[in-house]
């Protein structure tokens, strides 16, 4: 029998499947999911949590809105942070009891696999030697690479599952997402790959969730996959160029970082307005710089600081720190908490080099953070009883 809880669960699966594939389906599923969730909260008289996590995230939205008002920015730019907050609040307050976690992981994997195949076809049939690998509904190659890294983190987190099909699926998706990150050639994610793979597998081995033989076998297959991709891509112009750049050679980010900071100093409290970073003329601060205008600071924290101001950034940092404390103190609870912690850590590392927390990537992060918090809340509730 289909009831409101099944609809809630199915809408989430549709959302996850469509995240990298279809903008229209994704938006429709998201808003229907949020509306259904709010209906369940009201109907079941679920008590809304007003802890530091929820309050700090709501304040992040409030200060973002104030920045838009102060800077007379179009209200349309608020849709992304608004939907992120509503999505998280609904998931956080309803917890995991209405969600089929396996179903939604499979939906995420199926959506990613579909988008990845389409992206590979587009890249390798293009006449442009620098054609990037872009997942259809994610867009820019850097954002697509971040999405693939998030999928990799999810798959690695559940690679010790007792469910053989889920375990096999996680292994296959982990290999494919690793190859995708290398093909995309986004340096921040590419150079983090060894850290992500080794740290995750070593942790699972130390905690005896997987044995050393399995770990060594998986690492060997990952190394083989990386070498194979490097060999296949050796004549790809974009891949070769990105590898030749190294970690910091020919780096153009510093003028962007400094320009963002200098601009913020003139607008400390509410920034210059969401989406207005593109109006900054970098050559004002660095005459002769090769890049004149760019859409964001290539740094999540600086982008928030410059566009939204110090109050919004502080609210976001409190939100991130609160999540870290929750996850690190409950890391042994389940794979989902471990997954939430991994996503949190690597999100903040990549945030130093790129803008991560927005659109599809933010939604995917928020989903697993909310699920992890739900598992922790359930554990605490059982302990109290």
């Amino acid at each position: 029998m289909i009831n409101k809880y099944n609809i809630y669960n199915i809408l989430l699966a549709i959302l996850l499947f469509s995240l990298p594939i279809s903008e229209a389906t994704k938006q429709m599923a998201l808003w229907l999911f949020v509306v259904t969730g709010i209906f369940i909260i009201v109907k079941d008289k679920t008590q809304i949590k007003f802890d530091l996590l929820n309050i700090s995230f709501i304040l992040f939205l409030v200060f973002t809105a104030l920045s838009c008002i102060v800077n007379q920015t179009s209200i349309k730019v608020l849709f992304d942070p608004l939907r992120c907050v509503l999505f998280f609040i609904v998931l956080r307050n309803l917890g995991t009891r209405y969600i089929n976690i396996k179903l939604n992981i499979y939906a995420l994997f199926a959506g990613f696999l579909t988008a990845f195949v389409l992206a590979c076809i587009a890249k390798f049939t293009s006449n442009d030697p620098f054609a990037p690998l872009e997942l259809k509904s994610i867009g820019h190659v850097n954002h697509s690479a971040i999405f693939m890294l998030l999928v990799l983190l999810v798959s690695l987190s559940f690679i010790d599952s007792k469910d053989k099909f889920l375990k096999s699926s996680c292994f296959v998706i982990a290999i494919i997402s690793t190859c995708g990150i290398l093909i995309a050639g986004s340096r921040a994610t590419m150079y983090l790959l060894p850290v992500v793979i080794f740290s995750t597998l070593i942790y699972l081995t130390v905690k005896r969730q997987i044995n050393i033989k399995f770990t060594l076998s998986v690492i060997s297959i990952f190394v083989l996959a990386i070498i194979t991709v490097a060999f296949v891509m050796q004549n790809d112009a974009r891949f070769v160029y990105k590898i030749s750049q190294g970690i910091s050679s020919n780096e153009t980010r510093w003028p962007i970082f400094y320009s963002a900071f200098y601009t913020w100093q003139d607008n400390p409290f509410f920034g210059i307005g969401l989406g207005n970073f593109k109006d900054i003329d970098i050559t004002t601060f660095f005459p002769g710089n090769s890049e004149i205008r760019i859409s964001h600071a290539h740094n999540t924290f600086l982008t928030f600081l410059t566009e939204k101001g110090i109050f919004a950034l502080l609210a976001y940092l409190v939100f991130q720190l609160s999540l870290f404390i929750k996850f690190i103190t409950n890391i042994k609870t389940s794979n989902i908490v471990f997954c939430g912690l991994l996503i949190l850590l690597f999100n903040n590392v990549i945030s130093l080099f790129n803008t991560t927390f927005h659109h599809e990537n933010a939604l995917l992060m928020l989903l697993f953070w909310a699920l992890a918090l739900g598992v922790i809340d359930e554990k605490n509730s059982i302990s109290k009883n």
Side-chain angles (χ1 to χ4, degrees), residues 307-348:
E307 292 191 340
K308 305 176 183 184
I310 187 65
F311 297 130
L313 175 61
L314 288 175
Y316 176 75
L317 291 175
V318 170
F319 176 63
Q320 294 288 287
L321 181 60
S322 301
L323 285 171
F324 177 75
I325 293 171
K326 275 276 190 182
F327 294 159
I328 202 69
T329 54
N330 293 277
I331 191 172
K332 296 180 181 179
T333 304
S334 80
N335 291 58
I336 293 182
V337 178
F338 177 57
C339 179
L341 179 62
L342 282 179
I343 289 173
L344 180 70
L345 292 174
F346 287 108
N347 165 56
N348 282 284

Side-chain angles (χ1 to χ4, degrees), residues 49 51 92 326 329-330 333 337 372-385:
K49 295 180 176 69
D51 55 6
R92 174 84 200 283
K326 275 276 190 182
T329 54
N330 293 277
T333 304
V337 178
L373 291 169
V375 169
I376 294 170
D377 289 341
E378 284 185 13
K379 185 202 77 169
N380 292 337
S381 178
I382 293 172
S383 299
K384 287 179 181 178
N385 295 332

Side-chain angles (χ1 to χ4, degrees), residues 293-309:
R293 299 183 192 278
I294 195 166
S295 61
H296 56 84
H298 280 284
N299 180 300
T300 301
F301 311 112
L302 277 175
T303 300
F304 287 170
L305 182 67
T306 308
E307 292 191 340
K308 305 176 183 184

Side-chain angles (χ1 to χ4, degrees), residues 9-10 12-21 99-115 147 151 154-155 158-174 336 364 367-368 371:
N9 197 53
I10 291 169
L12 180 58
I14 294 172
L15 169 62
L16 289 174
F17 177 79
S18 61
L19 268 182
I21 299 174
I99 294 177
N100 184 326
I101 294 175
K102 285 185 182 179
L103 169 67
N104 285 285
I105 289 176
Y106 289 141
L108 172 66
F109 288 171
F112 161 68
L113 192 57
T114 304
F147 184 86
V151 172
V154 173
S155 59
F158 292 91
I159 206 166
D160 65 329
S161 174
K162 291 181 173 60
D163 184 318
K164 290 185 178 179
F165 185 74
L166 178 59
K167 185 174 184 175
S168 300
S169 299
C170 287
F171 179 72
V172 171
I173 294 297
I336 293 182
L364 189 54
L367 167 65
F368 283 95
L371 291 178

Side-chain angles (χ1 to χ4, degrees), residues 79-90:
F79 285 167
D80 183 49
L82 174 62
R83 68 181 182 175
C84 286
V85 171
L86 290 175
F87 181 66
F88 179 77
I89 296 297
V90 165

Side-chain angles (χ1 to χ4, degrees), residues 255-256 259 262-263 279-294:
I256 300 172
S259 297
Y262 295 151
T263 302
D279 296 331
I280 298 175
D281 186 344
I282 299 173
T283 58
T284 301
F285 308 101
F286 295 90
N289 191 66
S290 59
E291 291 180 298
I292 300 173
R293 299 183 192 278
I294 195 166

Side-chain angles (χ1 to χ4, degrees), residues 129-165:
F130 282 89
L133 182 78
E134 295 180 339
L135 302 180
K136 185 178 179 182
S137 190
I138 305 296
H140 193 279
V141 62
N142 288 341
H143 301 155
S144 292
I146 292 168
F147 184 86
M148 288 188 279
L149 184 71
L150 295 175
V151 172
L152 172 62
L153 290 171
V154 173
S155 59
L156 286 175
S157 300
F158 292 91
I159 206 166
D160 65 329
S161 174
K162 291 181 173 60
D163 184 318
K164 290 185 178 179
F165 185 74

